[in-house]
Amino acid sequence: DVISQGGGRIASLSAESHKILNRRLEIDRKMYTALDRNTLQVAYQPQLDIKSNSINCYEALIRWEDEELGVISPDELIPIAEENGLIEEVGAFVAEEAMTFATKWHRAGTEMNISINSSIRESLNPQWKNRLLSILNETGCPANKVSLEFTEKFALKAEEEQSVITQMSELQSLGLQFTLDDFGSGYASLRYLQHLPITSIKFDRVFIDTLLSNSKTQQLIEGMIQFSKTMNLYTIAEGVRNEQQFELLKEMGIDAVQGHFIGKPVPAEQIEIK
Ligand code: C2E
Ligand code: MG
Ligand code: MG
Ligand code: MG
């Protein structure tokens, strides 16, 4: 590893980068035990469907707090897990929790969807589909209650894309849905949209942030909503923080909204299953 390779290199790092590097190494090291001991958690954020004016979905978001490292945000954790290969373990953990949660609703006689963030790296494994199927089986979760959210972080190679499409299509035929998350923030969103079996798009929070102050953003979102209707896509806005944003998005014809205005992510215990 980097530390043992050369004290000289480390010594030349500034105190600040040394701290960052150390934290990364600690997160990497502690992730194994956290997975083993089940100390990772999942929070759920509601999503409001405009047409029915009700919460129709909860998004599962990973949470990790360590005694020494404090809160480790998903934005820190996920890239490290993608690098050290634990992303599949992390993904399976979140999927198990979230599907168990959805099953509770189902057994209570309420139809509630759950949305699980997934790294496209997980789908590159040919066993991806089968692992998901066995989690659905174990938890008793109906496949049509689950959607997986992908962020377009990078473009897929042609052969990777083919394997992902094949597995996704099989999952879709069982009822699973796919959402393109953080839409508009990456480089490959239109390519993903064109090739992957996606049925919803979630506009990135940066667009919602500037919606009220920037007329171009308004036109862009309005146009994207119209385009989505033509494409038969369900549209979601994330990061909605106030009533003005909410009303404007509704006027524009958005299908669903999510954000602190609707509800913050909370542990499952704090959600009443009706
Ligand atoms: P995301 O999927 O786009 O999730 C939305 C993020 O925005 C969440 O941050 C959520 O807590 C935050 N958020 C929601 N509403 C508001 C709001 O009104 N205002 C503001 N300022 N923030 C809001 P979080 O939980 O830190 O997650 C960050 C990202 O990490 C997620 O973005 C997702 O891409 C990724 N992530 C989270 N959990 C998982 C997971 O289990 N697996 C994978 N692969 N990625 C995950
Ligand atoms: Mg998401
Ligand atoms: Mg998002
Ligand atoms: Mg995001």
Side-chain angles (χ1 to χ4, degrees):
D1 59 71
V2 193
I3 294 281
S4 56
Q5 262 172 24
R9 245 167 81 200
I10 293 296
S12 69
L13 288 176
S14 71
E16 192 50 34
S17 18
H18 194 180
K19 236 171 80 187
I20 293 169
L21 180 62
N22 244 327
R23 184 170 162 89
R24 268 191 77 93
L25 290 171
E26 279 296 290
I27 291 172
D28 174 89
R29 187 176 66 79
K30 286 194 162 189
M31 205 180 290
Y32 293 85
T33 13
L35 281 162
D36 261 0
R37 300 197 189 139
N38 248 328
T39 51
L40 297 173
Q41 283 166 330
V42 176
Y44 297 88
Q45 184 174 35
Q47 180 183 301
L48 182 87
D49 174 69
I50 299 296
K51 211 194 240 166
S52 64
N53 192 33
S54 64
I55 304 297
N56 68 336
C57 182
Y58 280 93
E59 177 178 3
L61 296 158
I62 194 153
R63 293 291 176 262
W64 183 14
E65 189 168 356
D66 177 78
E67 280 171 8
E68 290 149 20
L69 299 172
V71 170
I72 300 147
S73 76
D75 289 324
E76 264 189 298
L77 191 175
I78 299 297
I80 298 176
E82 284 177 339
E83 252 174 57
N84 69 13
L86 286 179
I87 191 64
E88 297 184 16
E89 255 45 70
V90 170
F93 166 78
V94 176
E96 256 171 57
E97 292 283 315
M99 289 180 193
T100 304
F101 180 68
T103 303
K104 284 187 185 150
W105 284 92
H106 186 64
R107 296 203 172 129
T110 315
E111 295 312 304
M112 183 55 72
N113 300 297
I114 48 143
S115 198
I116 303 170
N117 292 287
S118 196
S119 165
I120 198 89
R121 290 211 193 279
E122 292 175 59
S123 349
L124 297 180
N125 185 327
Q127 282 310 311
W128 174 60
K129 180 202 73 185
N130 290 335
R131 290 186 75 171
L132 272 172
L133 290 183
S134 63
I135 301 172
L136 281 166
N137 255 324
E138 275 163 35
T139 56
C141 180
N144 65 359
K145 295 288 156 260
V146 180
S147 82
L148 296 182
E149 298 188 10
F150 288 97
T151 305
E152 12 120 23
K153 279 187 200 149
F154 56 91
L156 296 169
K157 295 184 199 115
E159 67 274 17
E160 289 174 342
E161 194 174 80
Q162 202 40 59
S163 153
V164 171
I165 292 171
T166 307
Q167 296 194 71
M168 272 191 178
S169 306
E170 288 183 46
L171 288 167
Q172 194 185 38
S173 68
L174 299 168
L176 242 95
Q177 310 235 18
F178 300 101
T179 299
L180 198 47
D181 200 356
D182 301 345
F183 188 75
S185 70
Y187 301 101
S189 30
L190 292 177
R191 172 144 192 111
Y192 274 33
L193 205 54
Q194 199 184 359
H195 294 275
L196 306 180
I198 283 158
T199 51
S200 317
I201 59 174
K202 202 184 267 194
F203 299 116
D204 194 69
R205 198 166 71 219
V206 298
F207 299 112
I208 312 307
D209 281 344
T210 56
L211 192 63
L212 299 171
S213 58
N214 187 329
S215 60
K216 274 197 182 159
T217 309
Q218 260 181 55
Q219 288 168 348
L220 195 67
I221 292 295
E222 201 160 16
M224 290 303 303
I225 293 172
Q226 290 314 314
F227 153 84
S228 303
K229 291 200 195 299
T230 321
M231 300 275 291
N232 225 348
L233 293 163
Y234 185 84
T235 50
I236 308 158
E238 68 173 6
V240 178
R241 283 170 306 156
N242 60 51
E243 192 166 358
Q244 293 99 295
Q245 293 170 333
F246 176 67
E247 290 301 333
L248 184 54
L249 286 160
K250 241 164 79 171
E251 239 172 72
M252 289 176 172
I254 197 99
D255 291 313
V257 289
Q258 206 183 9
H260 292 173
F261 182 65
I262 308 300
K264 290 187 178 173
V266 291
E269 305 82 69
Q270 285 179 36
I271 299 167
E272 194 197 343
I273 296 176
K274 292 169 264 197

